[in-house]
């Protein structure tokens, strides 16, 4: 049993193969009451064998538009707050509203997704999602999906992100141009984008002939993570002349430890963050950072989601970030 020749497998094809009505197959596919468990399992099995894929565009035409976009975000990421605010602005401009749902240490991404799906959102925008490819594919079978600030090679899932490899390269180039050689990258662990930023750091240091002077240490998303990593470096007597942190929040933890232990920023140690979240320009020492444009990313994500709702292809957008130089970097001493 397989896909019919000459075109897409339809509900009617599945119904004929299963020996039931098209209406009953529709009930099964929509997941509503009206079919026995045995019939439901049999119809789903036959549909899977035949390669049936729900027609999202046709389904959309049959449903009343909710004009809602679901957005999940990481509560501990200040830059995600900026992205949410910009998403509200962009969506409002095209007469859509936004349903937000947070991911937190006490709340899983699956729980956050359940909330937006229950609200009948027409598409979901996932900020910094950590879902597996299989989970993303399963979600994309139900409604249009766009992930932001991470890559995705899952068919049917769009992505909008910055070039993290190039972004960290900008930071390294800036510091090397200021004469720094002992440069450390405090990374983001398993966070989306962390692997690309590690690769970008290693590559940029190698291109500058500084591989022997570089090191990557375990960090994370928060001020606590940045502070811990910096304390460990100082305790090991491995203080660098410059630090590239995973994000702005991590960078503020680095700076706090340096100041508390008597180091001057940037006179003794230069520090660069990543994201250009709102806190970066408002810190006591305004932070030099790699800037991702929240407004631009939000506009790309909303446009991509709306395009998919209308039957268009998933967006595949990679923006180049830029360096914003403020007060936490200076020429290396000596």
């Amino acid at each position: 049993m397989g896909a019919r020749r000459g075109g897409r497998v339809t509900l009617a094809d599945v119904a004929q193969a299963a020996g039931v009505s098209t209406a009953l197959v529709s009930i099964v596919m929509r997941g509503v009451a009206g079919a026995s468990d045995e019939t439901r399992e049999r119809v789903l099995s036959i549909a899977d064998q035949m390669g049936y894929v729900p027609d999202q565009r046709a389904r959309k035409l049959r449903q009343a538009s909710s004009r809602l976009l679901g957005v999940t975000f990481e509560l501990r990421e200040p830059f995600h707050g900026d992205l949410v605010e910009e998403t509200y602005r962009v969506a409002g401009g095209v007469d859509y509203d936004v349903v937000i749902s947070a991911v937190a240490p006490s709340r899983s991404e699956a729980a956050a997704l359940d909330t937006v799906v229950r609200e009948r959102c027409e598409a979901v925008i996932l900020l910094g999602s950590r879902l597996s490819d299989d989970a993303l594919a399963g979600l994309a079978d139900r409604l249009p999906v766009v992930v932001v600030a991470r890559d995705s090679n899952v068919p049917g899932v769009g992505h909008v992100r910055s070039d993290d490899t190039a972004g960290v390269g900008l930071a390294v180039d800036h510091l090397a141009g200021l004469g720094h050689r002992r440069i450390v990258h405090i990374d983001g662990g398993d966070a989306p984008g962390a692997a690309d930023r590690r690769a970008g750091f290693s590559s940029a240091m190698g291109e500058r002939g500084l591989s022997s002077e570089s090191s990557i240490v375990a960090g994370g998303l928060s001020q606590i993570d940045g502070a811990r990593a910096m304390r460990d470096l100082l305790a090991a007597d491995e203080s660098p002349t410059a630090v590239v942190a995973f994000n702005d929040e991590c960078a503020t933890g680095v700076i706090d430890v340096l100041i508390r232990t008597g180091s001057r920023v940037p006179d003794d140690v230069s520090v660069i963050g990543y994201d250009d979240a709102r806190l970066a320009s408002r810190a006591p020492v305004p932070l030099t950072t790699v800037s991702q444009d929240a407004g631009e990313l939000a506009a790309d994500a909303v446009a991509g989601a709306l395009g998919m709702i209308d039957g268009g292809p998933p967006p595949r957008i990679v923006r180049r970030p830029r360096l914003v130089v403020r007060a936490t970097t200076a020429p290396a001493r000596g």
Side-chain angles (χ1 to χ4, degrees):
M1 186 180 299
R4 68 174 183 175
R5 294 182 179 178
R8 181 189 186 97
V9 176
T10 67
L11 284 176
D13 297 325
V14 176
Q16 182 178 8
V20 298
S21 69
T22 302
L24 185 56
V25 175
S26 177
I27 286 172
V28 171
M29 293 305 168
R30 287 185 287 120
V32 298
S36 68
D37 290 343
E38 180 182 356
T39 298
R40 191 179 302 276
E41 289 180 10
R42 185 164 61 86
V43 168
L44 290 173
S45 176
I46 290 171
D48 184 62
Q49 292 175 47
M50 295 181 71
Y52 172 77
V53 178
D55 188 337
Q56 299 290 352
R57 287 176 293 182
R59 179 179 296 177
K60 179 65 185 169
L61 291 173
R62 292 192 297 268
Q63 296 174 339
S65 172
S66 67
R67 302 200 74 78
L68 291 175
L69 297 176
V71 177
T72 63
F73 69 103
E74 172 63 62
L75 195 61
R76 297 177 298 173
E77 271 275 22
F79 185 61
H80 286 190
D82 296 350
L83 285 168
V84 167
E85 181 177 348
E86 291 296 330
T87 301
Y88 271 118
R89 179 185 62 79
V90 175
V94 291
D95 197 29
Y96 267 73
D97 205 350
V98 176
V99 177
I100 63 170
S101 190
V103 179
S106 60
R107 190 169 192 253
S108 70
E109 188 170 1
L113 272 171
D114 283 344
T115 296
V116 298
V117 171
R118 283 199 307 268
E119 293 294 330
R120 292 184 57 246
C121 294
E122 296 181 37
V124 291
I125 297 171
L126 312 181
L127 307 183
S129 175
R130 300 182 188 227
L131 291 181
S132 68
D133 285 354
D134 286 345
L136 284 173
L139 182 61
D141 283 341
R142 304 171 66 183
L143 75 174
V145 180
V146 178
V147 295
V148 179
R150 66 163 276 188
D151 207 349
S152 171
N153 294 315
V154 178
V157 175
H159 69 248
V160 174
R161 65 180 181 86
S162 293
D163 187 337
D164 288 312
T165 302
V168 169
L170 293 174
V172 170
D173 285 347
H174 174 63
L175 293 171
L178 292 172
H180 292 278
R181 296 183 61 82
R182 287 185 289 117
I183 305 172
V184 166
H185 175 44
I186 297 177
D187 78 358
D190 64 352
D196 285 343
R197 294 180 197 180
R198 283 191 291 268
F201 178 78
S202 296
S203 176
M205 290 294 283
E207 289 172 3
R208 288 280 187 168
L210 299 175
S211 294
S212 63
E213 305 281 352
S214 70
S215 63
I216 298 174
V217 300
L221 303 175
S222 70
Q223 290 185 28
I224 293 173
D225 294 321
R228 171 187 46 76
M230 195 66 235
R231 280 195 298 268
D232 289 346
L233 283 168
L234 294 175
D237 197 24
E238 296 177 357
S239 180
T241 66
V243 173
V244 179
F246 173 72
N247 64 8
D248 297 335
E249 187 88 346
C250 180
T252 60
V254 171
I255 291 170
D256 182 65
V257 167
L258 288 170
I259 291 174
R260 288 176 183 272
T261 55
S263 295
R264 296 170 299 169
V265 177
D267 296 331
D268 297 321
V269 182
S270 288
V271 179
I272 297 182
Y274 203 108
D275 287 338
D276 199 17
R278 193 166 304 173
L279 66 88
S281 61
R282 298 178 180 178
V285 184
L287 183 66
T288 296
T289 186
V290 178
S291 177
Q292 303 189 82
D293 190 319
E296 190 174 71
L297 292 174
D300 287 340
V302 171
L306 296 183
M308 292 177 72
I309 290 170
D310 290 336
R316 299 278 191 266
I317 299 173
V318 181
R319 295 284 186 179
R320 185 172 178 84
R322 62 189 179 89
L323 185 73
V324 178
V325 179
R326 297 193 179 101
T328 58
T329 52
R333 299 181 65 186

PDB file of all heavy atoms in Angstrom, residues 70-77 80 84 99-116 125 127:
ATOM      1  N   GLY A  70       1.307  32.142  18.128  1.00  0.00           N
ATOM      2  CA  GLY A  70       1.860  31.690  19.402  1.00  0.00           C
ATOM      3  C   GLY A  70       3.358  31.922  19.437  1.00  0.00           C
ATOM      4  O   GLY A  70       4.051  31.724  18.445  1.00  0.00           O
ATOM      5  N   VAL A  71       3.873  32.344  20.586  1.00  0.00           N
ATOM      6  CA  VAL A  71       5.307  32.579  20.763  1.00  0.00           C
ATOM      7  C   VAL A  71       5.748  31.941  22.070  1.00  0.00           C
ATOM      8  O   VAL A  71       5.196  32.239  23.135  1.00  0.00           O
ATOM      9  CB  VAL A  71       5.637  34.086  20.792  1.00  0.00           C
ATOM     10  CG1 VAL A  71       7.131  34.299  21.055  1.00  0.00           C
ATOM     11  CG2 VAL A  71       5.234  34.761  19.487  1.00  0.00           C
ATOM     12  N   THR A  72       6.722  31.043  22.005  1.00  0.00           N
ATOM     13  CA  THR A  72       7.354  30.524  23.220  1.00  0.00           C
ATOM     14  C   THR A  72       8.732  31.146  23.354  1.00  0.00           C
ATOM     15  O   THR A  72       9.404  31.411  22.358  1.00  0.00           O
ATOM     16  CB  THR A  72       7.483  28.990  23.183  1.00  0.00           C
ATOM     17  OG1 THR A  72       8.337  28.602  22.103  1.00  0.00           O
ATOM     18  CG2 THR A  72       6.114  28.341  23.006  1.00  0.00           C
ATOM     19  N   PHE A  73       9.144  31.389  24.598  1.00  0.00           N
ATOM     20  CA  PHE A  73      10.417  32.069  24.831  1.00  0.00           C
ATOM     21  C   PHE A  73      11.037  31.587  26.129  1.00  0.00           C
ATOM     22  O   PHE A  73      10.351  31.066  27.008  1.00  0.00           O
ATOM     23  CB  PHE A  73      10.223  33.592  24.853  1.00  0.00           C
ATOM     24  CG  PHE A  73       9.455  34.099  26.056  1.00  0.00           C
ATOM     25  CD1 PHE A  73      10.110  34.712  27.111  1.00  0.00           C
ATOM     26  CD2 PHE A  73       8.079  33.952  26.129  1.00  0.00           C
ATOM     27  CE1 PHE A  73       9.417  35.170  28.219  1.00  0.00           C
ATOM     28  CE2 PHE A  73       7.360  34.411  27.223  1.00  0.00           C
ATOM     29  CZ  PHE A  73       8.041  35.029  28.276  1.00  0.00           C
ATOM     30  N   GLU A  74      12.346  31.778  26.243  1.00  0.00           N
ATOM     31  CA  GLU A  74      13.115  31.384  27.421  1.00  0.00           C
ATOM     32  C   GLU A  74      13.082  32.535  28.427  1.00  0.00           C
ATOM     33  O   GLU A  74      13.589  33.625  28.155  1.00  0.00           O
ATOM     34  CB  GLU A  74      14.551  31.055  27.019  1.00  0.00           C
ATOM     35  CG  GLU A  74      15.509  30.805  28.162  1.00  0.00           C
ATOM     36  CD  GLU A  74      15.119  29.602  28.992  1.00  0.00           C
ATOM     37  OE1 GLU A  74      15.101  28.485  28.443  1.00  0.00           O
ATOM     38  OE2 GLU A  74      14.841  29.794  30.191  1.00  0.00           O
ATOM     39  N   LEU A  75      12.486  32.294  29.587  1.00  0.00           N
ATOM     40  CA  LEU A  75      12.282  33.348  30.578  1.00  0.00           C
ATOM     41  C   LEU A  75      13.603  33.937  31.066  1.00  0.00           C
ATOM     42  O   LEU A  75      13.670  35.113  31.427  1.00  0.00           O
ATOM     43  CB  LEU A  75      11.486  32.782  31.764  1.00  0.00           C
ATOM     44  CG  LEU A  75      10.866  33.775  32.731  1.00  0.00           C
ATOM     45  CD1 LEU A  75       9.851  34.672  32.026  1.00  0.00           C
ATOM     46  CD2 LEU A  75      10.183  33.038  33.880  1.00  0.00           C
ATOM     47  N   ARG A  76      14.672  33.140  31.039  1.00  0.00           N
ATOM     48  CA  ARG A  76      15.965  33.612  31.567  1.00  0.00           C
ATOM     49  C   ARG A  76      16.774  34.400  30.550  1.00  0.00           C
ATOM     50  O   ARG A  76      17.854  34.889  30.889  1.00  0.00           O
ATOM     51  CB  ARG A  76      16.783  32.406  32.042  1.00  0.00           C
ATOM     52  CG  ARG A  76      16.160  31.639  33.190  1.00  0.00           C
ATOM     53  CD  ARG A  76      16.997  30.420  33.537  1.00  0.00           C
ATOM     54  NE  ARG A  76      17.062  29.483  32.418  1.00  0.00           N
ATOM     55  CZ  ARG A  76      17.835  28.391  32.402  1.00  0.00           C
ATOM     56  NH1 ARG A  76      18.606  28.131  33.435  1.00  0.00           N
ATOM     57  NH2 ARG A  76      17.835  27.592  31.355  1.00  0.00           N
ATOM     58  N   GLU A  77      16.269  34.540  29.338  1.00  0.00           N
ATOM     59  CA  GLU A  77      17.007  35.234  28.277  1.00  0.00           C
ATOM     60  C   GLU A  77      16.459  36.648  28.076  1.00  0.00           C
ATOM     61  O   GLU A  77      15.381  36.829  27.506  1.00  0.00           O
ATOM     62  CB  GLU A  77      16.884  34.460  26.959  1.00  0.00           C
ATOM     63  CG  GLU A  77      17.949  33.405  26.758  1.00  0.00           C
ATOM     64  CD  GLU A  77      19.219  33.984  26.158  1.00  0.00           C
ATOM     65  OE1 GLU A  77      19.436  35.204  26.293  1.00  0.00           O
ATOM     66  OE2 GLU A  77      19.993  33.225  25.563  1.00  0.00           O
ATOM     67  N   HIS A  80      15.263  37.537  24.624  1.00  0.00           N
ATOM     68  CA  HIS A  80      13.969  37.008  24.223  1.00  0.00           C
ATOM     69  C   HIS A  80      12.844  37.967  24.580  1.00  0.00           C
ATOM     70  O   HIS A  80      11.841  38.057  23.868  1.00  0.00           O
ATOM     71  CB  HIS A  80      13.725  35.640  24.868  1.00  0.00           C
ATOM     72  CG  HIS A  80      14.530  34.545  24.259  1.00  0.00           C
ATOM     73  ND1 HIS A  80      14.327  33.210  24.540  1.00  0.00           N
ATOM     74  CD2 HIS A  80      15.562  34.575  23.379  1.00  0.00           C
ATOM     75  CE1 HIS A  80      15.184  32.466  23.862  1.00  0.00           C
ATOM     76  NE2 HIS A  80      15.949  33.277  23.159  1.00  0.00           N
ATOM     77  N   VAL A  84      10.105  39.316  21.994  1.00  0.00           N
ATOM     78  CA  VAL A  84       8.660  39.246  22.229  1.00  0.00           C
ATOM     79  C   VAL A  84       8.019  40.609  22.020  1.00  0.00           C
ATOM     80  O   VAL A  84       6.978  40.739  21.356  1.00  0.00           O
ATOM     81  CB  VAL A  84       8.362  38.710  23.649  1.00  0.00           C
ATOM     82  CG1 VAL A  84       6.892  38.930  24.009  1.00  0.00           C
ATOM     83  CG2 VAL A  84       8.704  37.228  23.743  1.00  0.00           C
ATOM     84  N   VAL A  99      -0.012  35.270  21.428  1.00  0.00           N
ATOM     85  CA  VAL A  99      -0.143  34.506  22.669  1.00  0.00           C
ATOM     86  C   VAL A  99       1.249  34.048  23.075  1.00  0.00           C
ATOM     87  O   VAL A  99       1.906  33.324  22.319  1.00  0.00           O
ATOM     88  CB  VAL A  99      -1.059  33.281  22.480  1.00  0.00           C
ATOM     89  CG1 VAL A  99      -1.114  32.458  23.772  1.00  0.00           C
ATOM     90  CG2 VAL A  99      -2.463  33.710  22.062  1.00  0.00           C
ATOM     91  N   ILE A 100       1.726  34.503  24.229  1.00  0.00           N
ATOM     92  CA  ILE A 100       3.083  34.124  24.651  1.00  0.00           C
ATOM     93  C   ILE A 100       3.018  33.070  25.750  1.00  0.00           C
ATOM     94  O   ILE A 100       2.064  33.010  26.533  1.00  0.00           O
ATOM     95  CB  ILE A 100       3.900  35.342  25.132  1.00  0.00           C
ATOM     96  CG1 ILE A 100       3.278  35.991  26.369  1.00  0.00           C
ATOM     97  CG2 ILE A 100       4.073  36.354  24.015  1.00  0.00           C
ATOM     98  CD1 ILE A 100       4.165  37.044  27.009  1.00  0.00           C
ATOM     99  N   SER A 101       4.043  32.249  25.800  1.00  0.00           N
ATOM    100  CA  SER A 101       4.123  31.186  26.791  1.00  0.00           C
ATOM    101  C   SER A 101       5.592  30.951  27.115  1.00  0.00           C
ATOM    102  O   SER A 101       6.404  30.729  26.215  1.00  0.00           O
ATOM    103  CB  SER A 101       3.482  29.908  26.246  1.00  0.00           C
ATOM    104  OG  SER A 101       3.341  28.933  27.249  1.00  0.00           O
ATOM    105  N   ALA A 102       5.935  31.018  28.394  1.00  0.00           N
ATOM    106  CA  ALA A 102       7.338  31.006  28.815  1.00  0.00           C
ATOM    107  C   ALA A 102       7.853  29.603  29.114  1.00  0.00           C
ATOM    108  O   ALA A 102       7.128  28.737  29.606  1.00  0.00           O
ATOM    109  CB  ALA A 102       7.518  31.877  30.046  1.00  0.00           C
ATOM    110  N   VAL A 103       9.139  29.418  28.812  1.00  0.00           N
ATOM    111  CA  VAL A 103       9.894  28.232  29.220  1.00  0.00           C
ATOM    112  C   VAL A 103      10.779  28.654  30.391  1.00  0.00           C
ATOM    113  O   VAL A 103      11.461  29.681  30.321  1.00  0.00           O
ATOM    114  CB  VAL A 103      10.764  27.699  28.068  1.00  0.00           C
ATOM    115  CG1 VAL A 103      11.560  26.477  28.508  1.00  0.00           C
ATOM    116  CG2 VAL A 103       9.907  27.384  26.844  1.00  0.00           C
ATOM    117  N   ALA A 104      10.733  27.902  31.471  1.00  0.00           N
ATOM    118  CA  ALA A 104      11.482  28.251  32.680  1.00  0.00           C
ATOM    119  C   ALA A 104      12.022  26.973  33.314  1.00  0.00           C
ATOM    120  O   ALA A 104      11.635  25.865  32.915  1.00  0.00           O
ATOM    121  CB  ALA A 104      10.578  28.995  33.661  1.00  0.00           C
ATOM    122  N   PRO A 105      12.923  27.100  34.295  1.00  0.00           N
ATOM    123  CA  PRO A 105      13.428  25.886  34.954  1.00  0.00           C
ATOM    124  C   PRO A 105      12.314  24.999  35.494  1.00  0.00           C
ATOM    125  O   PRO A 105      12.452  23.775  35.544  1.00  0.00           O
ATOM    126  CB  PRO A 105      14.306  26.448  36.077  1.00  0.00           C
ATOM    127  CG  PRO A 105      14.785  27.765  35.547  1.00  0.00           C
ATOM    128  CD  PRO A 105      13.631  28.314  34.759  1.00  0.00           C
ATOM    129  N   SER A 106      11.194  25.617  35.887  1.00  0.00           N
ATOM    130  CA  SER A 106      10.077  24.856  36.436  1.00  0.00           C
ATOM    131  C   SER A 106       8.992  24.566  35.417  1.00  0.00           C
ATOM    132  O   SER A 106       7.946  23.988  35.758  1.00  0.00           O
ATOM    133  CB  SER A 106       9.458  25.627  37.611  1.00  0.00           C
ATOM    134  OG  SER A 106       8.984  26.894  37.169  1.00  0.00           O
ATOM    135  N   ARG A 107       9.229  24.933  34.141  1.00  0.00           N
ATOM    136  CA  ARG A 107       8.200  24.753  33.109  1.00  0.00           C
ATOM    137  C   ARG A 107       8.854  24.346  31.799  1.00  0.00           C
ATOM    138  O   ARG A 107       9.646  25.091  31.245  1.00  0.00           O
ATOM    139  CB  ARG A 107       7.410  26.045  32.933  1.00  0.00           C
ATOM    140  CG  ARG A 107       6.152  25.892  32.053  1.00  0.00           C
ATOM    141  CD  ARG A 107       5.295  27.142  32.159  1.00  0.00           C
ATOM    142  NE  ARG A 107       3.980  26.943  31.578  1.00  0.00           N
ATOM    143  CZ  ARG A 107       3.568  27.469  30.421  1.00  0.00           C
ATOM    144  NH1 ARG A 107       4.396  28.235  29.717  1.00  0.00           N
ATOM    145  NH2 ARG A 107       2.361  27.260  29.979  1.00  0.00           N
ATOM    146  N   SER A 108       8.485  23.190  31.306  1.00  0.00           N
ATOM    147  CA  SER A 108       9.128  22.641  30.110  1.00  0.00           C
ATOM    148  C   SER A 108       8.656  23.343  28.847  1.00  0.00           C
ATOM    149  O   SER A 108       7.597  23.991  28.825  1.00  0.00           O
ATOM    150  CB  SER A 108       8.825  21.154  29.992  1.00  0.00           C
ATOM    151  OG  SER A 108       7.450  20.952  29.676  1.00  0.00           O
ATOM    152  N   GLU A 109       9.439  23.165  27.784  1.00  0.00           N
ATOM    153  CA  GLU A 109       9.034  23.724  26.496  1.00  0.00           C
ATOM    154  C   GLU A 109       7.770  23.034  25.987  1.00  0.00           C
ATOM    155  O   GLU A 109       6.921  23.674  25.335  1.00  0.00           O
ATOM    156  CB  GLU A 109      10.162  23.601  25.478  1.00  0.00           C
ATOM    157  CG  GLU A 109       9.886  24.331  24.182  1.00  0.00           C
ATOM    158  CD  GLU A 109      11.082  24.421  23.254  1.00  0.00           C
ATOM    159  OE1 GLU A 109      12.162  23.894  23.617  1.00  0.00           O
ATOM    160  OE2 GLU A 109      10.944  25.009  22.168  1.00  0.00           O
ATOM    161  N   ALA A 110       7.606  21.760  26.290  1.00  0.00           N
ATOM    162  CA  ALA A 110       6.395  21.051  25.883  1.00  0.00           C
ATOM    163  C   ALA A 110       5.164  21.672  26.528  1.00  0.00           C
ATOM    164  O   ALA A 110       4.118  21.840  25.879  1.00  0.00           O
ATOM    165  CB  ALA A 110       6.503  19.574  26.248  1.00  0.00           C
ATOM    166  N   ALA A 111       5.266  22.035  27.809  1.00  0.00           N
ATOM    167  CA  ALA A 111       4.142  22.675  28.490  1.00  0.00           C
ATOM    168  C   ALA A 111       3.854  24.044  27.893  1.00  0.00           C
ATOM    169  O   ALA A 111       2.695  24.431  27.720  1.00  0.00           O
ATOM    170  CB  ALA A 111       4.441  22.800  29.979  1.00  0.00           C
ATOM    171  N   ALA A 112       4.919  24.790  27.568  1.00  0.00           N
ATOM    172  CA  ALA A 112       4.735  26.101  26.952  1.00  0.00           C
ATOM    173  C   ALA A 112       4.027  25.969  25.610  1.00  0.00           C
ATOM    174  O   ALA A 112       3.145  26.773  25.264  1.00  0.00           O
ATOM    175  CB  ALA A 112       6.084  26.794  26.782  1.00  0.00           C
ATOM    176  N   LEU A 113       4.400  24.946  24.835  1.00  0.00           N
ATOM    177  CA  LEU A 113       3.771  24.725  23.535  1.00  0.00           C
ATOM    178  C   LEU A 113       2.311  24.322  23.666  1.00  0.00           C
ATOM    179  O   LEU A 113       1.462  24.747  22.878  1.00  0.00           O
ATOM    180  CB  LEU A 113       4.536  23.649  22.768  1.00  0.00           C
ATOM    181  CG  LEU A 113       5.703  24.131  21.921  1.00  0.00           C
ATOM    182  CD1 LEU A 113       6.494  22.948  21.400  1.00  0.00           C
ATOM    183  CD2 LEU A 113       5.205  24.989  20.765  1.00  0.00           C
ATOM    184  N   ASP A 114       2.000  23.508  24.649  1.00  0.00           N
ATOM    185  CA  ASP A 114       0.607  23.093  24.853  1.00  0.00           C
ATOM    186  C   ASP A 114      -0.294  24.309  25.017  1.00  0.00           C
ATOM    187  O   ASP A 114      -1.423  24.339  24.515  1.00  0.00           O
ATOM    188  CB  ASP A 114       0.488  22.199  26.094  1.00  0.00           C
ATOM    189  CG  ASP A 114       0.978  20.784  25.845  1.00  0.00           C
ATOM    190  OD1 ASP A 114       1.125  20.400  24.666  1.00  0.00           O
ATOM    191  OD2 ASP A 114       1.226  20.065  26.834  1.00  0.00           O
ATOM    192  N   THR A 115       0.201  25.324  25.707  1.00  0.00           N
ATOM    193  CA  THR A 115      -0.597  26.523  25.947  1.00  0.00           C
ATOM    194  C   THR A 115      -0.953  27.220  24.644  1.00  0.00           C
ATOM    195  O   THR A 115      -2.120  27.555  24.403  1.00  0.00           O
ATOM    196  CB  THR A 115       0.162  27.501  26.860  1.00  0.00           C
ATOM    197  OG1 THR A 115       0.353  26.887  28.141  1.00  0.00           O
ATOM    198  CG2 THR A 115      -0.611  28.802  27.039  1.00  0.00           C
ATOM    199  N   VAL A 116       0.041  27.445  23.774  1.00  0.00           N
ATOM    200  CA  VAL A 116      -0.250  28.188  22.545  1.00  0.00           C
ATOM    201  C   VAL A 116      -1.071  27.361  21.564  1.00  0.00           C
ATOM    202  O   VAL A 116      -1.899  27.900  20.823  1.00  0.00           O
ATOM    203  CB  VAL A 116       1.048  28.714  21.883  1.00  0.00           C
ATOM    204  CG1 VAL A 116       1.759  29.688  22.802  1.00  0.00           C
ATOM    205  CG2 VAL A 116       1.982  27.590  21.488  1.00  0.00           C
ATOM    206  N   ILE A 125       5.867  30.649  16.730  1.00  0.00           N
ATOM    207  CA  ILE A 125       7.234  31.155  16.605  1.00  0.00           C
ATOM    208  C   ILE A 125       7.959  30.753  17.879  1.00  0.00           C
ATOM    209  O   ILE A 125       7.556  31.140  18.979  1.00  0.00           O
ATOM    210  CB  ILE A 125       7.235  32.684  16.421  1.00  0.00           C
ATOM    211  CG1 ILE A 125       6.527  33.068  15.114  1.00  0.00           C
ATOM    212  CG2 ILE A 125       8.662  33.228  16.439  1.00  0.00           C
ATOM    213  CD1 ILE A 125       6.295  34.561  14.953  1.00  0.00           C
ATOM    214  N   LEU A 127      11.211  30.881  20.127  1.00  0.00           N
ATOM    215  CA  LEU A 127      12.435  31.632  20.358  1.00  0.00           C
ATOM    216  C   LEU A 127      13.438  30.755  21.095  1.00  0.00           C
ATOM    217  O   LEU A 127      13.177  30.320  22.221  1.00  0.00           O
ATOM    218  CB  LEU A 127      12.147  32.900  21.172  1.00  0.00           C
ATOM    219  CG  LEU A 127      11.044  33.827  20.633  1.00  0.00           C
ATOM    220  CD1 LEU A 127      10.937  35.082  21.508  1.00  0.00           C
ATOM    221  CD2 LEU A 127      11.319  34.208  19.181  1.00  0.00           C
TER     222      LEU A 127
END
